[in-house]
Amino acid sequence: MLASKAQIRLKSARDLEALRRSCRLAAETLLLAGDRLRVGMTTLEIDELVHGFIVDHGAYPSPLNYHGFPKSVCTSVNEVVCHGIPSRRRLRDGDIINIDVTCKLDGFHGDTSATFFVGTPSAEARHLVEVTRRCLEIGIEQVRPGRRIGEIGRVIEAYAVAQGCSVVRDFVGHGIGRDFHEGPQVPHFGDAGRGARMEPGMTFTIEPMINLGTWELEILEDGWTAVTKDRRLSAQFEHTLAVTETGCEVLTARSRPLRHSEPTDEPPARPATDPVSG
């Protein structure tokens, strides 16, 4: 069920400036994680890296102790859809991992995530990640005053399905500001005519979770980790946005491409021979 109009908190110019600072820190943290990512690294090392960088910049890692979540970042590997808990698990060549960073600075939360390649990805993994990245991009293209939130999900779902993928329905984007989660909810599927109308000062995330197989998922016994029901790969990308008078501002825009995720000047990884390996 979508959040009601009463739950949406429009941001003032002063609010937006504080939110920009938090979002810039989240973006820089994600860049750092991409720079340091390597085969053999544990997801616990990623957590320690993210925690230290955020705290050193005078902020707080929003996931830590949020409804009991035990770590400072979510690390979701391969079939894990979201909310993966960092551990001593070592990343292997061919893995994909979503790193989901949220920090609280100056009273506001900034939220962003990306899926990274560990070593050499399979052709199947590369396809999924690129489809998911494009889903976020086309979702952002729909953000402008007067349109309904539902338009975002309509275009994302249509594109993902056309590419042979599915869209997770159990988790959605959300409003964000002084609270980690505010209205509106932002589904990545559904009908264009549904949801609140966007207006200047509205701030929310778009964070499509795209699967190679079924969109259905299961929650593991830890109460947090969501995995695909068929255990096939899942990927996610996320930005925090503000609706402006003429369109939108990507508050978590990065200063440069993400290493091990986005195209850069470095030589591209060569896909594995077996499209289902990794």
Side-chain angles (χ1 to χ4, degrees), residues 18-50:
L19 187 55
R20 285 188 189 99
R21 289 193 291 272
S22 183
C23 286
R24 281 197 295 267
L25 177 58
E28 288 300 313
T29 306
L30 195 61
L31 282 168
L32 176 64
D35 289 345
R36 300 284 182 87
L37 192 66
R38 67 187 188 280
V39 174
M41 188 178 199
T42 68
T43 53
L44 187 59
E45 288 177 297
I46 297 172
D47 181 75
E48 292 167 349
L49 176 69
V50 167

Side-chain angles (χ1 to χ4, degrees), residues 219-266:
I219 306 297
L220 299 186
E221 290 182 2
D222 61 27
W224 284 102
T225 307
V227 299
T228 55
K229 190 170 183 178
D230 57 11
R231 300 304 192 267
R232 297 189 71 189
L233 295 177
S234 182
Q236 179 189 18
F237 284 87
E238 175 184 17
H239 272 309
T240 296
L241 315 166
V243 182
T244 67
E245 296 289 342
T246 57
C248 77
E249 177 183 354
V250 180
L251 299 174
T252 46
R254 295 177 287 272
S255 58
R256 58 183 170 84
L258 286 166
R259 289 195 67 213
H260 304 116
S261 177
E262 296 174 321
T264 66
D265 291 334
E266 64 185 18

Side-chain angles (χ1 to χ4, degrees), residues 78-79 93-97 115-133 165 210-212 232-237 260-261 270-272 274-278:
N78 294 337
E79 75 280 3
D93 184 36
D95 284 344
I96 61 172
I97 178 172
T115 298
F116 298 85
F117 301 118
V118 182
T120 303
S122 67
E124 187 179 54
R126 184 175 290 280
H127 172 71
L128 173 66
V129 171
E130 295 305 326
V131 168
T132 308
R133 188 197 326 280
C165 300
I210 308 299
N211 298 347
L212 277 178
R232 297 189 71 189
L233 295 177
S234 182
Q236 179 189 18
F237 284 87
H260 304 116
S261 177
R270 182 168 54 85
D274 181 358
V276 297
S277 67

Side-chain angles (χ1 to χ4, degrees), residues 1 8 36 48 51 59 77 81 91 96 100 108 117 125 136 139 169 179 187-188 190 194 211 222 234 239 255:
M1 181 190 228
I8 299 171
R36 300 284 182 87
E48 292 167 349
H51 180 96
V77 182
V81 175
L91 298 174
I96 61 172
D100 192 345
F108 285 84
F117 301 118
L136 174 58
R169 293 169 175 258
D179 289 333
H188 307 111
R194 296 191 175 187
N211 298 347
D222 61 27
S234 182
H239 272 309
S255 58

Side-chain angles (χ1 to χ4, degrees), residues 173-199:
H174 55 88
I176 189 168
R178 289 191 178 277
D179 289 333
F180 194 166
H181 296 89
E182 303 177 349
Q185 291 185 2
V186 184
H188 307 111
F189 60 92
D191 299 328
R194 296 191 175 187
R197 289 196 182 276
M198 294 177 253
E199 55 184 298

